[in-house]
Amino acid sequence: MGRGRALGGPLTGHTLPVGDVAFAPDGHTLVTAGRDDAVRLWETDPARLLPRPCAATAGPHDRELWQRHVPGTPYVPGCG
C-alpha cells in the first residue's frame, strides 16, 4: 500500500499516545482518542480552518502567528 502526502503539520495536543482515529460523519472533522483520556476534534477542511487565526488574534497577523495557529498551512496575509 502506498503512502499519501501530508495535508499539514502534525496534530499536537494529546499528552499520551493516540489509540483511535476516525472521521466524523461530516467528512471533514477528524476525531482522536488518546490514552490521556482526551478526545479531540480536528478540522481538516481548509476553507473552515483558515478563518481561525483572524478570530484567535482579533486582527491582522504575521507569518509567525499564522504558523502558531495553523502550522504547515501556507501563509495567507491579512484578515479580510
Side-chain angles (χ1 to χ4, degrees), residues 1-2 4 9 12 17-18 22-23 26 29 33 40-41 46 56 61-62 70 78-79:
M1 175 183 280
T12 60
V18 171
F23 273 97
D26 65 17
T29 304
R40 298 196 180 270
L41 305 177
H61 53 271
D62 58 17
V70 284
C79 291

Side-chain angles (χ1 to χ4, degrees), residues 5-79:
R5 66 176 180 82
L7 297 176
L11 302 175
T12 60
H14 286 285
T15 57
L16 291 172
V18 171
D20 294 296
V21 178
F23 273 97
D26 65 17
H28 59 81
T29 304
L30 184 67
V31 183
T32 60
R35 292 188 184 154
D36 56 2
D37 293 326
V39 174
R40 298 196 180 270
L41 305 177
W42 309 91
E43 181 59 64
T44 64
D45 180 357
R48 300 174 79 124
L49 178 65
L50 295 180
R52 289 186 180 179
C54 292
T57 61
H61 53 271
D62 58 17
R63 287 181 190 274
E64 179 183 342
L65 188 60
W66 179 268
Q67 288 304 312
R68 196 174 328 145
H69 287 280
V70 284
T73 304
Y75 173 66
V76 178
C79 291

